[in-house]
Amino acid sequence: MQTSKICFIATTLSISTFAVNAQLNLTDNISLSGFGSTSITQSNNATPLYVNREITDNTCYDCDTTLGLQGDIRFNDNFNTSIQIVKRPQDSWSSPRLEWVYVGYSVSDFNLKFGRLRLPLFLSSEYYYVGQAYTSARPPQEVYNSILGITSYDGISGTWDIEISDDSYLTVTPYLGIESNSKVGIGDKQYDFNIDNTVGLHSELSGFDYRIIFNYAYSKYAVKVTTPQGSLDYPSDNINIYTLGTEYSLEQWLLTAEVLIDEMNFNWYSSIAYNIDKFTPYVTYAESHHGKKNNSLLIGLRYDLTTRVSLNTEWKYTNAKGGSHGELIRTPVDGDTDAQLYTIMLNFIF
């Protein structure tokens, strides 16, 4: 049981788990790794659930399908480069996305990155598409779906690693994004975001059995909405996003909570998981306020077939409040804003 506990802590608290366990070393300086997810899922509501997944009451075999490849090259002790290409759930197989590609420079306790980088808003941001790296089938959508699936930015970041004690570390990462574009489809509407700039500050305090992150991001953006009836350009606007998250491990227990606040959302979730050898049952409760009024309860079980393959079975009940359609991506025609979601998910790394 002690070995199982250590593996559980390492999997849930270390963002490097995927790279350590799965990478294939082609040479001393070049490595290749990959990851993927696939599912069978169905809701009991005809109105689609979740931006970029659109799960309905028809059984879906590809709503969560994800496949990614990552290559890393270390030129010397200071310079390295990394590239990650992902076929996300919303992408066709012929049009995967370049999720990140950057050049990094490290010296002492400082690391500089330049290129396309992951937007570091959440606990699971760094490995958002690597389903094997977190407990549930999907990160809690009330929080992680709040920014419509925008997960990266083009720009520069600098990270300082500060040792506080023998087992406590603080990382501080200011970052700056330049102009970029992103597209999101919601039902029969297409949203084209033009992001003029992004400025943010990410910090993380971590130890053997805990992580605490705080992030602030400011963006100036404009959006064009296209429907079958035509298109409309909205004027530029600003958004300030604040996120706070914490993970804490106690024996076989793992406690997790995150909150996101911006001009349109006040969303949060809390989760508890208990590891029993290869089995990890978990429960998550979440709420959305302001833009989407919603609460949900999720009960799931993860089974680790191997250190590289896991299986999730989940039931989720979501209930929109106050007349909002909540996590349903458009207003139901029949007025039914409750939904039960059933999921069997397979995650793997290679």
Side-chain angles (χ1 to χ4, degrees):
M1 182 65 73
Q2 183 66 20
T3 301
S4 174
K5 174 189 172 185
I6 294 172
C7 290
F8 179 59
I9 293 172
T11 299
T12 53
L13 297 183
S14 173
I15 67 172
S16 62
T17 299
F18 161 61
V20 170
N21 287 343
Q23 70 182 20
L24 172 65
N25 293 318
L26 303 179
T27 70
D28 290 341
N29 299 317
I30 302 175
S31 63
L32 180 67
S33 51
F35 54 90
S37 300
T38 188
S39 73
I40 302 173
T41 187
Q42 184 177 2
S43 167
N44 68 344
N45 196 310
T47 304
L49 275 167
Y50 303 151
V51 174
N52 299 323
R53 298 181 191 263
E54 299 197 15
I55 301 166
T56 68
D57 57 355
N58 293 318
T59 302
C60 185
Y61 299 93
D62 62 355
C63 288
D64 294 290
T65 301
T66 303
L67 184 65
L69 290 174
Q70 180 175 321
D72 296 277
I73 302 174
R74 177 162 292 280
F75 299 105
N76 53 44
D77 291 340
N78 301 110
F79 285 97
N80 72 288
T81 186
S82 180
I83 181 171
Q84 186 183 98
I85 300 174
V86 183
K87 184 274 172 198
R88 305 169 299 171
Q90 65 266 39
D91 297 327
S92 64
W93 286 102
S94 60
S95 303
R97 172 181 167 83
L98 185 62
E99 245 324 275
W100 75 46
V101 55
Y102 64 80
V103 175
Y105 174 76
S106 300
V107 57
S108 186
D109 296 325
F110 177 73
N111 179 261
L112 182 70
K113 293 180 180 179
F114 176 80
R116 175 163 293 178
L117 307 171
R118 184 61 54 81
L119 191 62
L121 293 180
F122 308 115
L123 285 167
S124 300
S125 287
E126 193 70 13
Y127 46 94
Y128 177 73
Y129 292 109
V130 187
Q132 178 72 357
Y134 41 82
T135 304
S136 58
R138 312 172 188 89
Q141 296 296 291
E142 286 84 354
V143 171
Y144 282 75
N145 226 358
S146 299
I147 56 173
L148 303 179
I150 298 174
T151 56
S152 62
Y153 69 97
D154 298 330
I156 189 171
S157 72
T159 299
W160 283 267
D161 295 315
I162 305 167
E163 183 177 356
I164 297 177
S165 64
D166 290 341
D167 59 357
S168 296
Y169 297 86
L170 174 67
T171 62
V172 179
T173 306
Y175 56 93
L176 174 66
I178 59 176
E179 184 175 359
S180 60
N181 298 291
S182 182
K183 294 183 178 181
V184 179
I186 303 179
D188 59 357
K189 295 181 180 180
Q190 176 78 36
Y191 293 81
D192 293 278
F193 291 94
N194 178 265
I195 303 171
D196 287 342
N197 55 68
T198 299
V199 179
L201 178 67
H202 175 84
S203 61
E204 176 174 327
L205 179 66
S206 61
F208 175 73
D209 56 1
Y210 70 92
R211 289 174 62 205
I212 302 171
I213 66 105
F214 171 77
N215 187 88
Y216 166 73
Y218 163 87
S219 288
K220 182 179 181 181
Y221 69 94
V223 60
K224 177 181 180 180
V225 181
T226 302
T227 68
Q229 291 74 38
S231 60
L232 179 62
D233 290 298
Y234 287 87
S236 296
D237 202 354
N238 303 322
I239 188 169
N240 295 276
I241 302 174
Y242 303 86
T243 58
L244 177 66
T246 180
E247 277 183 340
Y248 178 67
S249 175
L250 178 65
E251 299 296 331
Q252 274 67 52
W253 294 96
L254 180 70
L255 310 176
T256 311
E258 289 188 85
V259 60
L260 175 143
I261 301 172
D262 61 30
E263 285 82 353
M264 297 173 286
N265 299 284
F266 174 66
N267 300 347
W268 65 272
Y269 77 87
S270 61
S271 179
I272 185 169
Y274 186 79
N275 177 243
I276 311 169
D277 294 323
K278 293 185 176 183
F279 292 92
T280 306
Y282 52 92
V283 178
T284 300
Y285 178 77
E287 290 188 359
S288 302
H289 299 273
H290 302 331
K292 291 183 177 181
K293 297 180 180 179
N294 188 87
N295 62 5
S296 70
L297 175 66
L298 181 147
I299 300 174
L301 176 67
R302 169 174 166 145
Y303 175 66
D304 289 288
L305 287 83
T306 71
T307 57
R308 299 189 179 190
V309 182
S310 63
L311 184 69
N312 288 76
T313 57
E314 287 186 354
W315 168 83
K316 181 177 181 178
Y317 173 73
T318 182
N319 174 36
K321 302 182 294 183
S324 168
H325 52 273
E327 297 308 306
L328 300 170
I329 66 174
R330 58 177 179 263
T331 304
V333 175
D334 58 7
D336 183 9
T337 56
D338 294 354
Q340 296 188 57
L341 175 64
Y342 306 90
T343 300
I344 299 175
M345 177 89 75
L346 181 70
N347 297 302
F348 54 91
I349 56 177
F350 57 91

